[in-house]
Amino acid sequence: MPIDGNGFELGGYTRPDSTQFNELPAHVWPTTARRRSNDEENPGSVEIGGVSLVDIAKEFGTPVFVVDEQDFRSRCRSMAKAFRGAENVHYASKAFLSKTIARWVMEEGLHLDVASGNEMAIALAAGFPAKDMTFHGNNKSTAELRDAISAGVGKIVLDSRSELRRLSQVAAEAGVVQDVLVRVKPGVEAHTHEFIATAHEDQKFGFSLASGSALEAANLVEEDDNLRLIGLHCHIGSQIVDSDGFILAAERVFSLVERLVERHGTEISKHFNTLDLGGGFGIAYTAGEQPLDVAPLADEILTAVDKLAQRIGIETPTVAVEPGRAIVGPSMVTVYEVGTLKDVTIDEGMTRRYVSVDGGMSDNIRPALYGSNYDGRVVNREVSGSRIPTRVVGKHCESGDILINDANYPDDIVEGDLFALAATGAYCYAMASRYNMLTRPPVVSVCDGQVTQILRRETVQDLLSLECETPR
Ligand code: LLP
């Protein structure tokens, strides 16, 4: 039986049983999510962090992002355990960043990956120590490099020859020796969507291992008085659920370490001590998927790196990683309100119900951009209708504004219901737009029965405040 985008069996859309639809798959939803059987006003409604999503919708309106603080923190801790130290885990702030998130990351002892001057500025405003940040990007401006150096950013990941030259100059002007890693593209084809695979040759990131340009860049840094080569970096892609690519990348990157040791001697390992393997650990978006099991992968990587280091007689470098999605992705949900419903004939005798919600591609572009699937549930009550083919869509002016493309949902979802998508923590708010002049939703955190707004909803005044008076 084929499985739909939400892990349900397709093929019998009149099946009366919808108990499955009321379940919240534990590997997809935040760990504290559960249905409230004893809620008198809203029996069967969902709570996260002890707070009812119905109450959150009443207080903050919809759409609203809800992040489970306990879930977020526990993912930080498991990642730190897997990689033998919180400082070896650099949370990729591009997945989702706010001052509160930066503070949680800091309190958990993790370091931070920033990929723009503004990500750095938000983290600094939260009091995140610059020395614990790694600065990324394929096209960092000289101004960003200057800001990073004057803030005292710990590590800068070099991505091009031009940047190498400019960074050396900026460091010299500031009178500092800057720690850097060289980003290598190891030529690994990651099994993921083309747009988020980043280690093959024909893409914009890093120095090629195969062509020798990575070795050339590393040698240049090693010989530069203003820069100190502390390691190599690679990131094979994102939302990867099998471990082979990571191991292969580690081995390939290590072949470059070998070349460096041949040229500069084992002495180099006095300062050359980091192998940063980037992020990319995949999560489960729907009931039928399984997340990448990071702990055994970490063991495998660490053992492999240890062996490789012994073989060439250097100290084992620290293995660092940069997970974004695997930390924040499953911690967050988006709650929408259901609006219009429309039954559309799609084939002879077949109809599809279009369930519209009050957000869409402006708060979650991922289905439209990558064809991503999501797990959606009614969260203000339990539903019990027969299954019918359903598509969940947003309110934007284009038909590609789809959140859940093809599901078999109960037919008693009605206007006014609250409908939530799970695992929306990574790259949803972060990639939000203001299409159709919709304003970005608020983000609230929940923990131990308390709700705290961490980002407010944008207002039309925010939009108007960007307008400049122009001469008539
Ligand atoms: N490190 C580097 C250098 C990266 O480029 C990225 C992601 C990460 C770490 C974090 O990867 P993660 O652990 O979150 O997979 N917008 C896409 C994902 C783009 C990822 C960009 N780089 C999406 O929505 O799937």
Side-chain angles (χ1 to χ4, degrees), residues 7-9 15 17-25 377 387:
F8 299 126
E9 287 173 356
R15 210 168 338 125
D17 176 22
S18 52
T19 46
Q20 228 188 339
F21 183 76
N22 294 316
E23 283 167 14
L24 306 172
R377 309 278 161 160
R387 297 300 185 82

Side-chain angles (χ1 to χ4, degrees), residues 92 94-95 113 136 183 195-196 198 205 233 235 237-239 278-281 285 322-326 366 369-370 372 426-427 431:
K94 69 203 80 186
D113 146 4
H136 282 277
R183 180 161 176 168
F195 291 0
I196 52 177
T198 48
F205 295 104
H233 175 279
H235 169 78
S238 203
Q239 184 54 15
F281 310 132
Y285 280 98
E322 300 169 336
R325 187 190 320 262
R366 301 193 68 263
L369 195 56
Y370 315 115
S372 311
Y427 308 108
M431 298 202 295

Side-chain angles (χ1 to χ4, degrees), residues 155-280:
K155 299 168 199 148
I156 297 182
V157 179
L158 284 178
D159 202 284
S160 69
R161 287 287 285 269
S162 141
E163 185 191 348
L164 196 163
R165 199 173 5 81
R166 289 182 289 121
L167 184 65
S168 171
Q169 212 164 10
V170 171
E173 279 160 22
V176 299
V177 176
Q178 177 64 45
D179 284 353
V180 301
L181 292 99
V182 165
R183 180 161 176 168
V184 176
K185 53 176 152 184
V188 173
E189 301 281 339
H191 300 146
T192 188
H193 193 284
E194 177 197 349
F195 291 0
I196 52 177
T198 48
H200 52 295
E201 285 295 325
D202 191 4
Q203 51 80 31
K204 68 178 181 173
F205 295 104
F207 294 92
S208 160
L209 190 64
S211 75
S213 79
L215 177 61
E216 212 172 60
N219 282 332
L220 280 174
V221 176
E222 187 56 23
E223 282 149 18
D224 192 306
D225 291 340
N226 309 309
L227 307 175
R228 189 162 60 148
L229 182 68
I230 62 151
L232 299 175
H233 175 279
C234 77
H235 169 78
I236 60 171
S238 203
Q239 184 54 15
I240 298 166
V241 287
D242 59 331
S243 53
D244 305 357
F246 292 101
I247 307 282
L248 184 62
E251 286 169 358
R252 294 234 176 124
V253 172
F254 218 89
S255 67
L256 180 52
V257 179
E258 228 170 323
R259 299 283 88 73
L260 289 170
V261 170
E262 275 165 22
R263 163 124 182 211
H264 305 279
T266 49
E267 282 293 281
I268 193 176
S269 67
K270 285 202 176 113
H271 54 274
F272 183 96
N273 52 24
T274 308
L275 209 55
D276 185 335
L277 297 179

Side-chain angles (χ1 to χ4, degrees), residues 386-401:
S386 306
R387 297 300 185 82
I388 53 168
T390 306
R391 179 168 285 173
V392 181
V393 296
K395 62 176 283 157
H396 293 279
C397 292
E398 59 182 83
S399 45
D401 175 25

